[in-house]
Amino acid sequence: MAAARDISTTFAKGLSVLRAFDAENARLSFSDIARICDLDRAAARRLVLTLEHLGYVRRQGRVFALTPKVMVLAGGFLQSHQYGKRVQPVLDAISARIDTPLSLAVLEEGEALYVAQARMEPSRVSFGFTVGSRLPLLPTAIGRALLARLPEEKSALLVAESPLVMHTPQTPLDRESILECVAEARRAGHAITRGEFEAGVAGIAVPVPGATGHPFALGTSLAQAALTVEREATILQALQDCARALAEGAG
């Protein structure tokens, strides 16, 4: 890790401005960005105008929005890991096999970050998450599968530090019970949630074995009422087959 003296704080602040834009904050003013990024307004203005000059944000009246150029920042990662050649075909094949969308996520800064997806067209149900979406670890199946890939002490630390937010009446708010769920996911090799993040939605996820560096997990969501015992077994088998294929491809 680089020493503090070698870090460009200005560059870091510029990246924080890009991260300020999300589904709830698609258009932001100078004041909004200053508040979200904990910057003074003058600094926020300079950073935003620089990003506008470089083409990463565009002005819309008194607010700003991201441009498609930000996808270039992710493109290098996806291309260097051959997502189009090695990952996407596997996801597409397994998704078609079980007629269910699939998502691949990596643990990044205490969240599950979607890095690839296979979506059914036309999809009967859409839960609104895309590549680049970030999900909380504690109430989601894919988050718990990621935690299960970590050593116990590291997953316990993340469970202790992650925010507890009530998304639905079924969201667990007791950290000990969440730790038990993660431990069970580690033993069973998969995690299942029912209505804990989105009401009426079940999530199923499995860790991707053998992944180096940041842990990966693979999961899907479907209407809770559709998750019969038979359907659960079919999806779990497909997810495990997909995870093994992804791990073999990465090797």
Tab-separated table of all heavy atoms in Angstrom, residues 76-119:
chain	number	residue	atom	x	y	z
A	76	GLY	N	-11.705	-0.929	-18.763
A	76	GLY	CA	-10.386	-1.530	-18.638
A	76	GLY	C	-10.397	-2.740	-17.729
A	76	GLY	O	-9.765	-3.764	-18.024
A	77	PHE	N	-11.122	-2.646	-16.615
A	77	PHE	CA	-11.219	-3.778	-15.690
A	77	PHE	C	-11.899	-4.963	-16.361
A	77	PHE	O	-11.417	-6.101	-16.301
A	77	PHE	CB	-11.993	-3.357	-14.437
A	77	PHE	CG	-12.356	-4.500	-13.532
A	77	PHE	CD1	-11.439	-5.013	-12.636
A	77	PHE	CD2	-13.621	-5.072	-13.588
A	77	PHE	CE1	-11.770	-6.078	-11.805
A	77	PHE	CE2	-13.958	-6.129	-12.767
A	77	PHE	CZ	-13.031	-6.632	-11.869
A	78	LEU	N	-13.037	-4.707	-17.015
A	78	LEU	CA	-13.792	-5.788	-17.635
A	78	LEU	C	-12.998	-6.443	-18.757
A	78	LEU	O	-12.976	-7.674	-18.891
A	78	LEU	CB	-15.121	-5.247	-18.164
A	78	LEU	CG	-16.075	-4.682	-17.106
A	78	LEU	CD1	-17.297	-4.067	-17.774
A	78	LEU	CD2	-16.508	-5.761	-16.120
A	79	GLN	N	-12.311	-5.639	-19.562
A	79	GLN	CA	-11.559	-6.194	-20.683
A	79	GLN	C	-10.331	-6.967	-20.202
A	79	GLN	O	-10.011	-8.031	-20.730
A	79	GLN	CB	-11.148	-5.074	-21.633
A	79	GLN	CG	-12.336	-4.448	-22.355
A	79	GLN	CD	-11.970	-3.154	-23.067
A	79	GLN	OE1	-10.796	-2.868	-23.303
A	79	GLN	NE2	-12.973	-2.359	-23.392
A	80	SER	N	-9.645	-6.428	-19.200
A	80	SER	CA	-8.431	-7.097	-18.728
A	80	SER	C	-8.731	-8.445	-18.094
A	80	SER	O	-7.894	-9.343	-18.096
A	80	SER	CB	-7.678	-6.200	-17.739
A	80	SER	OG	-8.440	-6.007	-16.549
A	81	HIS	N	-9.944	-8.584	-17.533
A	81	HIS	CA	-10.341	-9.863	-16.944
A	81	HIS	C	-11.159	-10.709	-17.920
A	81	HIS	O	-11.710	-11.746	-17.536
A	81	HIS	CB	-11.147	-9.623	-15.660
A	81	HIS	CG	-10.304	-9.115	-14.523
A	81	HIS	ND1	-9.885	-7.802	-14.438
A	81	HIS	CD2	-9.793	-9.735	-13.436
A	81	HIS	CE1	-9.164	-7.638	-13.342
A	81	HIS	NE2	-9.081	-8.795	-12.724
A	82	GLN	N	-11.246	-10.259	-19.167
A	82	GLN	CA	-11.926	-10.996	-20.238
A	82	GLN	C	-13.355	-11.385	-19.871
A	82	GLN	O	-13.780	-12.522	-20.078
A	82	GLN	CB	-11.110	-12.234	-20.636
A	82	GLN	CG	-9.713	-11.896	-21.134
A	82	GLN	CD	-8.995	-13.079	-21.720
A	82	GLN	OE1	-9.572	-13.827	-22.507
A	82	GLN	NE2	-7.729	-13.273	-21.339
A	83	TYR	N	-14.086	-10.410	-19.327
A	83	TYR	CA	-15.472	-10.692	-18.950
A	83	TYR	C	-16.313	-11.059	-20.173
A	83	TYR	O	-17.169	-11.944	-20.101
A	83	TYR	CB	-16.080	-9.483	-18.232
A	83	TYR	CG	-15.842	-9.509	-16.734
A	83	TYR	CD1	-14.552	-9.463	-16.215
A	83	TYR	CD2	-16.900	-9.609	-15.850
A	83	TYR	CE1	-14.330	-9.504	-14.855
A	83	TYR	CE2	-16.684	-9.648	-14.482
A	83	TYR	CZ	-15.394	-9.595	-13.997
A	83	TYR	OH	-15.172	-9.646	-12.640
A	84	GLY	N	-16.075	-10.368	-21.287
A	84	GLY	CA	-16.867	-10.671	-22.471
A	84	GLY	C	-16.610	-12.054	-23.020
A	84	GLY	O	-17.509	-12.707	-23.555
A	85	LYS	N	-15.376	-12.548	-22.885
A	85	LYS	CA	-14.994	-13.842	-23.459
A	85	LYS	C	-15.191	-14.990	-22.500
A	85	LYS	O	-15.637	-16.083	-22.900
A	85	LYS	CB	-13.527	-13.777	-23.897
A	85	LYS	CG	-12.992	-15.054	-24.527
A	85	LYS	CD	-11.544	-14.897	-24.941
A	85	LYS	CE	-10.986	-16.162	-25.564
A	85	LYS	NZ	-9.569	-16.015	-25.963
A	86	ARG	N	-14.862	-14.809	-21.216
A	86	ARG	CA	-14.860	-15.916	-20.275
A	86	ARG	C	-16.066	-15.945	-19.334
A	86	ARG	O	-16.518	-17.012	-18.943
A	86	ARG	CB	-13.584	-15.865	-19.426
A	86	ARG	CG	-12.306	-16.125	-20.201
A	86	ARG	CD	-11.115	-16.113	-19.271
A	86	ARG	NE	-9.870	-16.434	-19.974
A	86	ARG	CZ	-8.680	-16.459	-19.396
A	86	ARG	NH1	-8.556	-16.183	-18.100
A	86	ARG	NH2	-7.604	-16.760	-20.100
A	87	VAL	N	-16.542	-14.766	-18.943
A	87	VAL	CA	-17.580	-14.701	-17.917
A	87	VAL	C	-18.978	-14.645	-18.523
A	87	VAL	O	-19.859	-15.444	-18.168
A	87	VAL	CB	-17.353	-13.489	-16.987
A	87	VAL	CG1	-18.505	-13.341	-15.995
A	87	VAL	CG2	-16.018	-13.635	-16.264
A	88	GLN	N	-19.203	-13.710	-19.443
A	88	GLN	CA	-20.553	-13.500	-19.958
A	88	GLN	C	-21.150	-14.742	-20.618
A	88	GLN	O	-22.334	-15.055	-20.369
A	88	GLN	CB	-20.562	-12.321	-20.927
A	88	GLN	CG	-21.969	-11.762	-21.187
A	88	GLN	CD	-22.594	-11.200	-19.916
A	88	GLN	OE1	-21.991	-10.383	-19.245
A	88	GLN	NE2	-23.804	-11.644	-19.603
A	89	PRO	N	-20.401	-15.487	-21.444
A	89	PRO	CA	-21.003	-16.686	-22.046
A	89	PRO	C	-21.451	-17.717	-21.011
A	89	PRO	O	-22.480	-18.382	-21.189
A	89	PRO	CB	-19.875	-17.245	-22.922
A	89	PRO	CG	-19.017	-16.062	-23.238
A	89	PRO	CD	-19.053	-15.229	-21.993
A	90	VAL	N	-20.689	-17.860	-19.922
A	90	VAL	CA	-21.067	-18.810	-18.875
A	90	VAL	C	-22.347	-18.350	-18.184
A	90	VAL	O	-23.285	-19.134	-17.978
A	90	VAL	CB	-19.932	-18.965	-17.845
A	90	VAL	CG1	-20.371	-19.859	-16.687
A	90	VAL	CG2	-18.686	-19.544	-18.509
A	91	LEU	N	-22.397	-17.056	-17.834
A	91	LEU	CA	-23.604	-16.524	-17.192
A	91	LEU	C	-24.815	-16.681	-18.105
A	91	LEU	O	-25.903	-17.092	-17.660
A	91	LEU	CB	-23.411	-15.049	-16.842
A	91	LEU	CG	-22.387	-14.694	-15.768
A	91	LEU	CD1	-22.354	-13.182	-15.567
A	91	LEU	CD2	-22.700	-15.394	-14.453
A	92	ASP	N	-24.649	-16.366	-19.390
A	92	ASP	CA	-25.773	-16.441	-20.322
A	92	ASP	C	-26.285	-17.876	-20.454
A	92	ASP	O	-27.504	-18.110	-20.485
A	92	ASP	CB	-25.346	-15.922	-21.696
A	92	ASP	CG	-25.112	-14.414	-21.711
A	92	ASP	OD1	-25.598	-13.728	-20.786
A	92	ASP	OD2	-24.437	-13.935	-22.642
A	93	ALA	N	-25.376	-18.837	-20.521
A	93	ALA	CA	-25.780	-20.238	-20.708
A	93	ALA	C	-26.547	-20.756	-19.493
A	93	ALA	O	-27.593	-21.414	-19.644
A	93	ALA	CB	-24.547	-21.107	-20.973
A	94	ILE	N	-26.041	-20.459	-18.292
A	94	ILE	CA	-26.720	-20.948	-17.080
A	94	ILE	C	-28.029	-20.213	-16.866
A	94	ILE	O	-29.037	-20.804	-16.444
A	94	ILE	CB	-25.795	-20.797	-15.854
A	94	ILE	CG1	-24.512	-21.615	-16.040
A	94	ILE	CG2	-26.526	-21.227	-14.587
A	94	ILE	CD1	-24.734	-23.101	-16.143
A	95	SER	N	-28.046	-18.914	-17.165
A	95	SER	CA	-29.281	-18.144	-17.038
A	95	SER	C	-30.373	-18.704	-17.940
A	95	SER	O	-31.532	-18.846	-17.531
A	95	SER	CB	-29.006	-16.673	-17.377
A	95	SER	OG	-30.195	-15.916	-17.356
A	96	ALA	N	-29.996	-19.045	-19.186
A	96	ALA	CA	-30.968	-19.622	-20.112
A	96	ALA	C	-31.438	-20.994	-19.640
A	96	ALA	O	-32.603	-21.358	-19.813
A	96	ALA	CB	-30.353	-19.723	-21.508
A	97	ARG	N	-30.546	-21.737	-19.020
A	97	ARG	CA	-30.873	-23.089	-18.542
A	97	ARG	C	-31.968	-23.070	-17.483
A	97	ARG	O	-32.853	-23.935	-17.481
A	97	ARG	CB	-29.613	-23.737	-17.993
A	97	ARG	CG	-29.811	-25.052	-17.267
A	97	ARG	CD	-28.461	-25.614	-16.865
A	97	ARG	NE	-28.467	-26.198	-15.536
A	97	ARG	CZ	-27.379	-26.588	-14.875
A	97	ARG	NH1	-26.186	-26.443	-15.455
A	97	ARG	NH2	-27.462	-27.100	-13.666
A	98	ILE	N	-31.938	-22.072	-16.600
A	98	ILE	CA	-32.934	-22.021	-15.519
A	98	ILE	C	-33.944	-20.898	-15.712
A	98	ILE	O	-34.811	-20.687	-14.860
A	98	ILE	CB	-32.251	-21.867	-14.148
A	98	ILE	CG1	-31.374	-20.615	-14.100
A	98	ILE	CG2	-31.454	-23.110	-13.815
A	98	ILE	CD1	-30.775	-20.350	-12.723
A	99	ASP	N	-33.842	-20.175	-16.839
A	99	ASP	CA	-34.786	-19.107	-17.168
A	99	ASP	C	-34.874	-18.069	-16.042
A	99	ASP	O	-35.947	-17.648	-15.639
A	99	ASP	CB	-36.176	-19.692	-17.437
A	99	ASP	CG	-37.112	-18.679	-18.089
A	99	ASP	OD1	-36.615	-17.767	-18.774
A	99	ASP	OD2	-38.337	-18.788	-17.886
A	100	THR	N	-33.680	-17.688	-15.535
A	100	THR	CA	-33.611	-16.733	-14.426
A	100	THR	C	-32.386	-15.836	-14.613
A	100	THR	O	-31.316	-16.328	-14.947
A	100	THR	CB	-33.469	-17.472	-13.072
A	100	THR	OG1	-34.575	-18.342	-12.905
A	100	THR	CG2	-33.449	-16.492	-11.909
A	101	PRO	N	-32.530	-14.531	-14.414
A	101	PRO	CA	-31.356	-13.649	-14.505
A	101	PRO	C	-30.316	-13.994	-13.437
A	101	PRO	O	-30.661	-14.434	-12.338
A	101	PRO	CB	-31.940	-12.245	-14.255
A	101	PRO	CG	-33.386	-12.382	-14.547
A	101	PRO	CD	-33.763	-13.773	-14.152
A	102	LEU	N	-29.044	-13.792	-13.761
A	102	LEU	CA	-27.954	-14.045	-12.820
A	102	LEU	C	-27.099	-12.791	-12.682
A	102	LEU	O	-26.976	-12.004	-13.619
A	102	LEU	CB	-27.069	-15.194	-13.307
A	102	LEU	CG	-27.715	-16.562	-13.499
A	102	LEU	CD1	-26.667	-17.566	-13.962
A	102	LEU	CD2	-28.361	-17.034	-12.218
A	103	SER	N	-26.487	-12.639	-11.509
A	103	SER	CA	-25.585	-11.512	-11.266
A	103	SER	C	-24.321	-12.013	-10.590
A	103	SER	O	-24.372	-12.882	-9.715
A	103	SER	CB	-26.257	-10.468	-10.369
A	103	SER	OG	-27.407	-9.921	-10.979
A	104	LEU	N	-23.185	-11.458	-11.016
A	104	LEU	CA	-21.894	-11.743	-10.404
A	104	LEU	C	-21.452	-10.496	-9.661
A	104	LEU	O	-21.455	-9.396	-10.209
A	104	LEU	CB	-20.860	-12.107	-11.471
A	104	LEU	CG	-19.448	-12.438	-10.982
A	104	LEU	CD1	-19.444	-13.741	-10.193
A	104	LEU	CD2	-18.491	-12.535	-12.175
A	105	ALA	N	-21.086	-10.666	-8.381
A	105	ALA	CA	-20.707	-9.527	-7.550
A	105	ALA	C	-19.365	-9.767	-6.896
A	105	ALA	O	-18.965	-10.913	-6.651
A	105	ALA	CB	-21.768	-9.273	-6.469
A	106	VAL	N	-18.673	-8.680	-6.600
A	106	VAL	CA	-17.399	-8.727	-5.896
A	106	VAL	C	-17.531	-7.893	-4.630
A	106	VAL	O	-18.313	-6.929	-4.576
A	106	VAL	CB	-16.255	-8.181	-6.793
A	106	VAL	CG1	-16.470	-6.716	-7.139
A	106	VAL	CG2	-14.901	-8.373	-6.127
A	107	LEU	N	-16.809	-8.272	-3.599
A	107	LEU	CA	-16.802	-7.498	-2.361
A	107	LEU	C	-15.930	-6.266	-2.565
A	107	LEU	O	-14.739	-6.374	-2.858
A	107	LEU	CB	-16.255	-8.347	-1.212
A	107	LEU	CG	-16.161	-7.665	0.152
A	107	LEU	CD1	-17.525	-7.226	0.641
A	107	LEU	CD2	-15.507	-8.597	1.164
A	108	GLU	N	-16.514	-5.096	-2.411
A	108	GLU	CA	-15.788	-3.848	-2.643
A	108	GLU	C	-16.238	-2.799	-1.633
A	108	GLU	O	-17.398	-2.401	-1.610
A	108	GLU	CB	-16.045	-3.341	-4.072
A	108	GLU	CG	-15.372	-2.034	-4.424
A	108	GLU	CD	-13.852	-2.110	-4.377
A	108	GLU	OE1	-13.299	-3.200	-4.639
A	108	GLU	OE2	-13.227	-1.088	-4.075
A	109	GLU	N	-15.306	-2.398	-0.769
A	109	GLU	CA	-15.559	-1.357	0.231
A	109	GLU	C	-16.818	-1.628	1.049
A	109	GLU	O	-17.664	-0.763	1.244
A	109	GLU	CB	-15.639	0.015	-0.448
A	109	GLU	CG	-14.319	0.457	-1.070
A	109	GLU	CD	-14.367	1.876	-1.604
A	109	GLU	OE1	-15.449	2.503	-1.579
A	109	GLU	OE2	-13.313	2.365	-2.043
A	110	GLY	N	-16.933	-2.851	1.524
A	110	GLY	CA	-18.036	-3.197	2.416
A	110	GLY	C	-19.388	-3.316	1.753
A	110	GLY	O	-20.425	-3.282	2.427
A	111	GLU	N	-19.419	-3.494	0.439
A	111	GLU	CA	-20.665	-3.679	-0.291
A	111	GLU	C	-20.485	-4.763	-1.346
A	111	GLU	O	-19.356	-5.124	-1.704
A	111	GLU	CB	-21.104	-2.379	-0.971
A	111	GLU	CG	-21.475	-1.262	-0.020
A	111	GLU	CD	-21.835	0.014	-0.752
A	111	GLU	OE1	-21.002	0.493	-1.553
A	111	GLU	OE2	-22.938	0.537	-0.531
A	112	ALA	N	-21.608	-5.264	-1.859
A	112	ALA	CA	-21.582	-6.181	-2.990
A	112	ALA	C	-21.729	-5.350	-4.258
A	112	ALA	O	-22.744	-4.688	-4.459
A	112	ALA	CB	-22.718	-7.196	-2.885
A	113	LEU	N	-20.700	-5.379	-5.099
A	113	LEU	CA	-20.702	-4.593	-6.327
A	113	LEU	C	-20.944	-5.515	-7.511
A	113	LEU	O	-20.163	-6.442	-7.761
A	113	LEU	CB	-19.356	-3.872	-6.486
A	113	LEU	CG	-19.121	-3.127	-7.809
A	113	LEU	CD1	-20.098	-1.963	-7.953
A	113	LEU	CD2	-17.678	-2.641	-7.900
A	114	TYR	N	-22.033	-5.277	-8.262
A	114	TYR	CA	-22.327	-6.091	-9.441
A	114	TYR	C	-21.335	-5.768	-10.561
A	114	TYR	O	-21.197	-4.612	-10.957
A	114	TYR	CB	-23.743	-5.816	-9.943
A	114	TYR	CG	-24.849	-6.509	-9.181
A	114	TYR	CD1	-26.182	-6.310	-9.519
A	114	TYR	CD2	-24.575	-7.365	-8.128
A	114	TYR	CE1	-27.203	-6.944	-8.837
A	114	TYR	CE2	-25.581	-8.002	-7.441
A	114	TYR	CZ	-26.900	-7.788	-7.792
A	114	TYR	OH	-27.907	-8.414	-7.122
A	115	VAL	N	-20.663	-6.804	-11.073
A	115	VAL	CA	-19.689	-6.604	-12.147
A	115	VAL	C	-20.096	-7.303	-13.444
A	115	VAL	O	-19.493	-7.055	-14.492
A	115	VAL	CB	-18.278	-7.071	-11.720
A	115	VAL	CG1	-17.735	-6.193	-10.614
A	115	VAL	CG2	-18.286	-8.537	-11.291
A	116	ALA	N	-21.087	-8.167	-13.407
A	116	ALA	CA	-21.574	-8.816	-14.627
A	116	ALA	C	-22.980	-9.331	-14.374
A	116	ALA	O	-23.332	-9.669	-13.229
A	116	ALA	CB	-20.657	-9.958	-15.054
A	117	GLN	N	-23.768	-9.408	-15.441
A	117	GLN	CA	-25.138	-9.900	-15.331
A	117	GLN	C	-25.545	-10.628	-16.602
A	117	GLN	O	-25.048	-10.323	-17.692
A	117	GLN	CB	-26.123	-8.745	-15.103
A	117	GLN	CG	-26.176	-8.222	-13.683
A	117	GLN	CD	-27.328	-7.249	-13.502
A	117	GLN	OE1	-27.538	-6.360	-14.316
A	117	GLN	NE2	-28.081	-7.415	-12.430
A	118	ALA	N	-26.438	-11.569	-16.438
A	118	ALA	CA	-27.150	-12.180	-17.560
A	118	ALA	C	-28.626	-11.939	-17.300
A	118	ALA	O	-29.153	-12.360	-16.271
A	118	ALA	CB	-26.857	-13.676	-17.649
A	119	ARG	N	-29.267	-11.229	-18.202
A	119	ARG	CA	-30.668	-10.858	-18.014
A	119	ARG	C	-31.504	-11.529	-19.078
A	119	ARG	O	-31.117	-11.587	-20.247
A	119	ARG	CB	-30.843	-9.347	-18.080
A	119	ARG	CG	-29.996	-8.598	-17.070
A	119	ARG	CD	-30.177	-7.098	-17.212
A	119	ARG	NE	-31.523	-6.681	-16.870
A	119	ARG	CZ	-31.926	-6.413	-15.630
A	119	ARG	NH1	-31.085	-6.513	-14.623
A	119	ARG	NH2	-33.152	-6.037	-15.384
